[in-house]
Amino acid sequence: MTQMDSENGCVFEGALTLDDFARHLPHGFDVPKGVGTLRVHFEYDPASPPAGGIPHLLSISVYDPAGARGTRHNNADQSVVISADYASPGYLPGQIEEGRWTVEIDTHRILAPGQVRYRITVEWSADAPEPPEPAVASVEARYEPGPGWFRGDLHGHSLHSDAGWSVEEFEADAQRRGLDFAFLTDHNTVSGLRDLSTSNRGRTFIFAGVELSTFFGHCLVLGTDRHIDWRIKDGETMAARVAEIQAEGMLFVIAHPMARGHPWCTGCTWQYPDVYPGPATHVEVWNRAWSIPHNEHALQLYYGWLGRGCKVFATCGSDTHGPNGRDQAGYNIVFAQALTQREILAAIQKGRSYLSSGPEVGIDAHTETGEIFGMGQSVSKPVTSVSIDISRAPPGSTLRLITASPGNGGASLAHEVGLVADTRLEFDQVDLALTTFLTVEVRDANRQLCAMTNPIFLGQDTQDTE
């Protein structure tokens, strides 16, 4: 790597080899006092190897003397402008402080034969650009109903990372889908959340989050509007990062753990053995359309964790990047005390939710003393029967009661019933002494999942029984 400095900037040039794959490569420079605007342009060649059709995947992150100023994951536009009042999508505005700045190349994917030439051009000036005019916001009154079932999406993107639409378009689409809430979870950046001041005014609440997209797995952090360091470097562990996130009251979700990985989607498969699940309490088992093969694999992985005695809850997300491709997507149906970010996350944290593309489903466990326990709850008393309510299932659907499989740490099919109408089912022939959890699936006529509940845990101390 070579560096050429001038009075108003610097240029870095170099080449990336196969040895640079899955690395964070810093390029440091000193910014003088009195700078109003910093501009960075990153280019590399070739964009793809000579054969195969899959491009290299490189992005840049910017750090000022105090910390992160953002990144824009998997986006063709690698030009960055940062000033006190404006920043390019993916990056955060703020004063251009004097001192050591860093532009880091994040090498998510370098394919054979390597030898990717790159150039980083950094320029600064005393003037600051005029910020763009704010979007005109809806003036529709907000509503905040209290306790009830709310339908929402935990996973979605905007042009602040690799999606093709604005935050305003993201929100408008969530309203068209009839959602009560949706989390904006751009890759490795929270810069899109600043646009919520103009867009977050309709009947759908947009809540704060981020998708940490590391080289060895993706995860959602829900309930944060600040930058979370997404890099897991040598000497660091994902388990420690999870503990930090949870200590601050945020919700950590393993995203699409069995998704197709390198080179098609580098980093998309979960590969952290210390969080498998380890300290993680939530996993996205349904990502985009259910028919995508990795979802069934993720569900069976999840059942394996439950069968081993892990108390883990299931989530889903459309992973939306635009207006198309959401057929068969599942949504989280959450019972919360109010339609606020805090209460929605509190309910999801307890597993008070089910996943559905349309059907409504519930499960209750009844004890011999008359107590009733629902999704997400734990019961240590003997359970005498299980009741299941189901409505709006598509024609030809099947309801399946899933329990632990004794001896092999997986899941077992306890009952399977064809559905012809909305109904309430009662089961008292389940050998509840041999299982550690109960959950329900609804499968359509093609055996595609269209709903599932979070578990009721058996034989455990009850911590939450209201």
Side-chain angles (χ1 to χ4, degrees):
M1 186 265 289
T2 61
Q3 178 175 348
M4 296 164 281
D5 297 321
S6 67
E7 182 179 354
N8 296 314
C10 57
V11 175
F12 301 92
E13 292 182 341
L16 303 173
T17 70
L18 295 178
D19 290 340
D20 292 313
F21 172 48
R23 295 180 63 193
H24 307 282
L25 303 173
H27 296 70
F29 53 94
D30 294 310
V31 174
K33 186 177 181 179
V35 170
T37 301
L38 186 75
R39 292 178 171 83
V40 179
H41 181 68
F42 174 54
E43 54 190 333
Y44 56 91
D45 185 67
S48 304
I54 300 175
H56 306 297
L57 178 52
L58 310 173
S59 62
I60 55 171
S61 300
V62 179
Y63 299 86
D64 68 14
R69 294 297 286 265
T71 189
R72 196 174 188 191
H73 177 76
N74 192 20
N75 196 284
D77 185 358
Q78 299 279 3
S79 295
V80 182
V81 178
I82 301 176
S83 68
D85 300 315
Y86 171 78
S88 303
Y91 301 87
L92 300 174
Q95 294 295 326
I96 307 299
E97 300 294 341
E98 176 186 11
R100 192 71 171 175
W101 286 62
T102 301
V103 173
E104 195 168 76
I105 303 177
D106 305 310
T107 57
H108 292 270
R109 181 169 60 229
I110 299 178
L111 299 173
Q115 298 303 320
V116 180
R117 302 287 309 176
Y118 71 87
R119 180 183 179 94
I120 302 172
T121 304
V122 181
E123 299 175 327
W124 52 75
S125 60
D127 64 310
E130 288 291 327
E133 289 293 325
V136 177
S138 166
V139 295
E140 183 178 3
R142 299 312 298 264
Y143 73 122
E144 297 185 11
W149 290 97
F150 303 109
R151 181 170 179 260
D153 193 347
L154 305 188
H155 190 166
H157 301 276
S158 77
L159 57 73
H160 285 262
S161 57
D162 59 345
W165 57 6
S166 67
V167 173
E168 290 83 357
E169 292 168 319
F170 170 87
E171 185 205 11
D173 181 74
Q175 293 191 55
R176 283 193 294 271
R177 288 186 276 159
L179 301 183
D180 297 303
F181 67 90
F183 281 83
L184 180 62
T185 56
D186 277 316
H187 298 279
N188 300 332
T189 185
V190 293
S191 66
L193 299 177
R194 69 179 188 260
D195 291 347
L196 294 181
S197 61
T198 58
S199 72
N200 203 10
R201 301 289 180 87
R203 291 184 62 85
T204 299
F205 284 72
I206 307 300
F207 295 145
V210 64
E211 181 176 4
L212 306 186
S213 303
T214 79
F215 299 144
F216 304 105
H218 292 193
C219 50
L220 305 176
V221 180
L222 305 179
T224 182
D225 59 0
R226 70 168 183 84
H227 175 82
I228 304 291
D229 191 354
W230 59 277
R231 304 166 299 174
I232 306 297
K233 297 184 175 181
D234 288 344
E236 299 177 343
T237 67
M238 179 57 81
R241 189 63 44 81
V242 174
E244 294 169 3
I245 289 167
Q246 293 174 335
E248 293 190 35
M250 308 168 197
L251 183 64
F252 179 93
V253 182
I254 298 173
H256 45 67
M258 301 297 284
R260 197 179 192 190
H262 183 78
W264 295 272
C265 187
T266 299
C268 288
T269 306
W270 190 255
Q271 299 181 69
Y272 289 102
D274 57 332
V275 186
Y276 208 73
T281 56
H282 292 70
V283 59
E284 184 184 71
V285 301
W286 188 344
N287 173 267
R288 298 182 288 164
W290 175 258
S291 57
I292 298 173
H294 69 70
N295 286 317
E296 190 69 64
H297 298 321
L299 180 60
Q300 298 311 314
L301 175 71
Y302 170 68
Y303 283 152
W305 291 344
L306 291 179
R308 297 205 311 268
C310 298
K311 190 171 183 178
V312 187
F313 299 115
T315 74
C316 58
S318 71
D319 202 355
T320 180
H321 285 69
N324 300 313
R326 288 189 307 274
D327 293 342
Q328 295 183 290
Y331 298 101
N332 304 268
I333 317 300
V334 182
F335 186 82
Q337 295 303 307
L339 184 50
T340 64
Q341 179 174 287
R342 178 178 178 179
E343 293 298 336
I344 290 292
L345 287 176
I348 296 172
Q349 181 69 59
K350 297 175 183 177
R352 299 296 181 85
S353 61
Y354 64 94
L355 319 181
S356 178
S357 60
E360 297 174 357
V361 61
I363 179 172
D364 291 316
H366 303 260
T367 71
E368 58 187 0
T369 57
E371 293 173 285
I372 300 175
F373 295 81
M375 287 176 282
Q377 294 184 302
S378 301
V379 53
S380 57
K381 300 177 182 180
V383 171
T384 56
S385 65
V386 179
S387 62
I388 299 169
D389 292 285
I390 178 69
S391 61
R392 298 181 60 193
S397 295
T398 300
L399 182 143
R400 309 172 84 220
L401 177 63
I402 308 295
T403 66
S405 181
N408 68 7
S412 177
L413 178 61
H415 283 282
E416 187 168 17
V417 179
L419 298 172
V420 294
D422 297 353
T423 187
R424 180 179 178 87
L425 302 171
E426 301 280 350
F427 297 101
D428 56 10
Q429 300 299 315
V430 181
D431 194 346
L432 297 171
L434 292 178
T435 189
T436 56
F437 72 89
L438 298 167
T439 192
V440 169
E441 293 180 358
V442 178
R443 301 263 178 168
D444 66 18
N446 296 316
R447 310 297 289 178
Q448 299 291 299
L449 187 72
C450 49
M452 67 173 288
T453 68
N454 264 303
I456 300 173
F457 296 94
L458 306 182
Q460 303 183 33
D461 291 336
T462 302
Q463 297 179 347
D464 184 15
T465 59
E466 79 271 13

